Amino acid sequence: MARIRVGLLPTASFMVGTLPVPKYADAEKTQFATDRETGAKLYTITLFFMEEDRAEALKITVPETGLPNGLKPGLPVMPAELFATPWARIFNGSLSDGIAYRASRLDLATPAPAADAA
């Protein structure tokens, strides 16, 4: 599967949308998904991605070791080593596809200064 490094404009920003939730390796949710290289538990977090005139919610997988303390909705963060992996599968005769996002860690970011109101 192709992993594509995500390039971000200097104006890009991210904000925590939901707290991280554990990612499971099985449908019964008995086995945590783990990083193949480090063995760290994997978590999924929803971030709001804002760039120029657009915004969207992205679910990003991050190892437990890459989650900073004090995460809460609305907190500005920046994913490090962000990759996108396109995927597709056929289940019960229907095609499903999408993009899986993965970051090595989340760094706490300083919020941009507010624009002066006119």
Side-chain angles (χ1 to χ4, degrees):
M1 219 177 307
R3 284 180 14 134
I4 303 163
R5 182 178 291 275
V6 176
L8 300 169
L9 294 175
T11 57
S13 63
F14 290 83
M15 182 173 53
V16 175
T18 63
L19 294 177
V21 294
K23 189 169 184 168
Y24 293 95
D26 60 341
E28 295 79 28
K29 296 186 177 185
T30 60
Q31 288 281 50
F32 283 109
T34 57
D35 183 277
R36 292 179 186 161
E37 294 176 12
T38 66
K41 290 180 187 176
L42 295 176
Y43 284 76
T44 301
I45 185 168
T46 300
L47 299 180
F48 294 112
F49 166 60
M50 293 149 288
E51 188 175 70
E52 295 182 339
D53 291 336
R54 67 187 188 101
E56 60 184 278
L58 299 179
K59 287 188 177 184
I60 298 178
T61 299
V62 182
E64 182 176 36
T65 54
L67 295 170
N69 292 329
L71 283 178
K72 61 183 179 182
L75 192 67
V77 294
M78 185 58 69
E81 298 178 40
L82 182 61
F83 284 87
T85 304
W87 61 269
R89 68 176 176 190
I90 296 176
F91 183 73
N92 289 336
S94 295
L95 175 66
S96 296
D97 61 355
I99 300 173
Y101 292 96
R102 173 82 181 261
S104 63
R105 69 181 188 279
L106 297 179
D107 294 329
L108 298 177
T110 305
D116 292 334

